[in-house]
Amino acid sequence: GEHYLDQMWAGDFAVVPKAVAAFREATDHDPQFALAWAQLALSQSMLSYASIDTSDATRQQALADAQHALALAPDLPKAHYALGYVYRFSFADYDKALTQFKIAQRGSPNDAEVEAAIAYIEAMRGNISAAIAGLQRATTLNPRDPNLALAMGWMQMDLRHYDRARVAFQRTLAIAPNDPEAYTALARLEVLQHGDAHAALAQLHSAPTDLQSGSEILYTKVQLLLCQRDYKAAQQAVDTLQPGGRFITPLRVLMLRAAVSHLSGDLPRAKALYQQAVTRAAGGGGVGETALVSALSMPIAQAGSGRRAEALHALDDVRATLTKLDLGSNVNTLSRVRAEVDVMLGDNDAAIAALDKALAAPTGRSVSVPLLKLDPTWDPIRNDPRFQALLEKYSSDAPTQDAPRQ
């Protein structure tokens, strides 16, 4: 079971059902084994997070198993840790999750996994500096964990500390040379910091051969080909892209295929694909954080489908949800989503205002001046003097501190 957990945290979600089965067998063998109940609950919460089984029955079972672990061992830190992830992954209840993680921290103050769990929620709430401090403590406790180095890189990237992010991603590869997410992150740095899509593609090509056809690298390759406006190659690549890894979900694949068609000028095909994405986002979004990803995709999918009112309504809905959940990081990201929706709807004034907010916020993994200069998404406003003035305003690309939520 522990082996499957390690693989699960490394992004191999295919092993999640095996982890559930292994820990279920352990609890059947020894019903008083509190740690096994805790790990069973944690594994079951991953069924929801990975959209393998998003049923209410599975979510409730994960909660019941975590609570049973605590009934057997009320002071067991790993039981509180597991319950925290059940609240986070299965129910998107971040207040309750953070409460449980902090109880676990008091019981096990030198546990790197607990420190990291707290840091991840701080990051989601937009408290990036506090999250980085937490990850630094976790890394001191477990310096060989590649996930900690990878997360550090993403958080430094959010703040536009691109040089620091590069060091973190390189450290990830020193620990885990076959980590595809580190290669894609280093590639994205080339366009975010330098606006160099050629160098970014070279970074991807430096990955081991067996990773080249993987979902993470192929997804990023398509995005970079779009930046080069090589629409034929982008279309060929996206046609072979399949869901996989931690983050390349069926919805994200569908949205990227729609974007390729839209940017290459095949508007009828793009509209049909965006309509499929609306259906998938509405009906197959999962629960918890998976549902939030679907919600962030919905406004763009509606706009691409030609549904102006629905797109604007979806923006309002997701903003209300993110604000209610106190997810400041995603609220900031929503400014970039808003800008793309406005461009698609032809509202240049609103798009430029939204980009201004995004550039002022810690959104450095998705928005930077060099990337704006490359990305064909912004071609409809590229020659607008106000867009050019915006690029000049933020041309220093200075690091961004934790910013007020937009």
Side-chain angles (χ1 to χ4, degrees):
E2 294 290 344
H3 173 67
Y4 291 135
L5 275 184
D6 290 340
Q7 290 181 276
M8 183 177 77
W9 287 123
D12 185 359
F13 289 162
V15 305
V16 175
K18 296 179 181 179
V20 171
F23 288 118
R24 177 66 70 191
E25 182 179 352
T27 59
D28 289 343
H29 178 73
D30 182 359
Q32 301 302 308
F33 191 4
L35 180 59
W37 284 102
Q39 303 291 46
L40 173 61
L42 176 58
S43 302
Q44 288 183 129
S45 74
M46 288 295 295
L47 292 172
S48 299
Y49 181 74
S51 296
I52 296 170
D53 182 350
T54 60
S55 67
D56 185 62
T58 293
R59 296 159 65 204
Q60 295 297 334
Q61 187 63 57
L63 180 61
D65 289 342
Q67 291 172 334
H68 186 65
L70 284 171
L72 291 172
D75 297 324
L76 181 65
K78 284 297 184 185
H80 289 283
Y81 173 79
L83 181 56
Y85 268 113
V86 170
Y87 282 133
R88 177 186 160 182
F89 284 163
S90 297
F91 296 94
D93 192 330
Y94 301 100
D95 287 335
K96 287 185 178 179
L98 193 57
T99 296
Q100 292 301 318
F101 290 148
K102 288 186 174 181
I103 294 172
Q105 184 186 46
R106 290 195 292 272
S108 184
N110 295 318
D111 189 321
E113 291 182 336
V114 174
E115 289 284 354
I118 294 171
Y120 296 149
I121 290 185
E122 292 286 5
M124 293 173 71
R125 288 186 160 171
N127 303 322
I128 310 298
S129 297
I132 287 174
L135 280 183
Q136 288 171 335
R137 291 192 294 272
T139 301
T140 299
L141 294 167
N142 186 5
R144 297 295 299 170
D145 186 341
N147 286 323
L148 296 178
L150 189 68
M152 178 67 78
W154 286 118
M155 292 181 195
Q156 296 287 6
M157 189 185 283
D158 282 334
L159 295 179
R160 298 185 176 85
H161 292 155
Y162 293 132
D163 288 334
R164 297 179 190 176
R166 183 173 287 102
V167 170
F169 295 136
Q170 289 171 341
R171 185 168 177 275
T172 304
L173 287 178
I175 302 170
N178 291 320
D179 191 318
E181 292 174 33
Y183 284 102
T184 61
L186 286 167
R188 285 194 61 79
L189 274 174
E190 294 296 337
V191 290
L192 285 164
Q193 186 175 20
H194 303 301
D196 192 339
H198 179 77
L201 285 167
Q203 180 66 61
L204 289 184
H205 292 155
S206 72
T209 304
D210 59 340
L211 298 182
Q212 294 290 330
S213 60
S215 301
E216 297 94 337
I217 286 183
L218 191 55
Y219 184 94
T220 303
K221 180 180 179 180
V222 173
Q223 292 179 313
L224 295 172
L225 290 169
L226 289 176
C227 286
Q228 291 187 320
R229 290 167 176 74
D230 189 345
Y231 298 120
K232 182 178 179 180
Q235 185 66 64
Q236 291 173 342
V238 82
D239 284 345
T240 67
L241 177 64
Q242 297 296 321
R246 273 193 275 204
F247 303 114
I248 312 304
T249 63
L251 177 59
R252 290 190 70 189
V253 171
L254 190 54
M255 290 289 290
L256 186 59
R257 287 177 177 162
V260 170
S261 295
H262 176 76
L263 294 171
S264 64
D266 189 349
L267 299 186
R269 186 169 188 267
K271 184 175 181 178
L273 289 167
Y274 278 126
Q275 287 172 340
Q276 292 177 38
V278 168
T279 301
R280 180 173 286 276
V287 296
E289 289 170 37
T290 307
L292 293 177
V293 173
S294 298
L296 284 165
S297 299
M298 181 65 85
I300 296 174
Q302 293 282 19
S305 301
R307 299 165 176 160
R308 180 184 185 89
E310 289 85 349
L312 296 176
H313 182 69
L315 281 169
D316 290 339
D317 279 352
V318 69
R319 177 178 291 278
T321 299
L322 295 173
T323 302
K324 180 180 179 181
L325 294 173
D326 192 24
L327 297 181
S329 180
N330 284 331
V331 171
N332 288 328
T333 300
L334 188 59
S335 294
R336 192 260 178 229
V337 173
R338 175 69 197 242
E340 183 170 350
V341 169
D342 289 331
V343 165
M344 296 174 79
L345 297 177
D347 191 343
N348 293 0
D349 292 347
I352 290 169
L355 280 177
D356 197 350
K357 290 181 178 180
L359 284 164
T363 57
R365 74 173 75 180
S366 60
V367 184
S368 74
V369 168
L371 181 56
L372 288 175
K373 291 179 178 179
L374 281 184
D375 191 344
T377 300
W378 314 111
D379 283 356
I381 60 173
R382 190 163 306 284
N383 295 324
D384 190 311
R386 295 167 300 172
F387 179 75
Q388 293 299 321
L390 195 66
L391 298 181
E392 181 63 27
K393 176 181 177 181
Y394 293 99
S395 61
S396 67
D397 240 352
T400 307
Q401 298 304 315
D402 295 342
R405 292 161 195 170
Q406 304 296 330

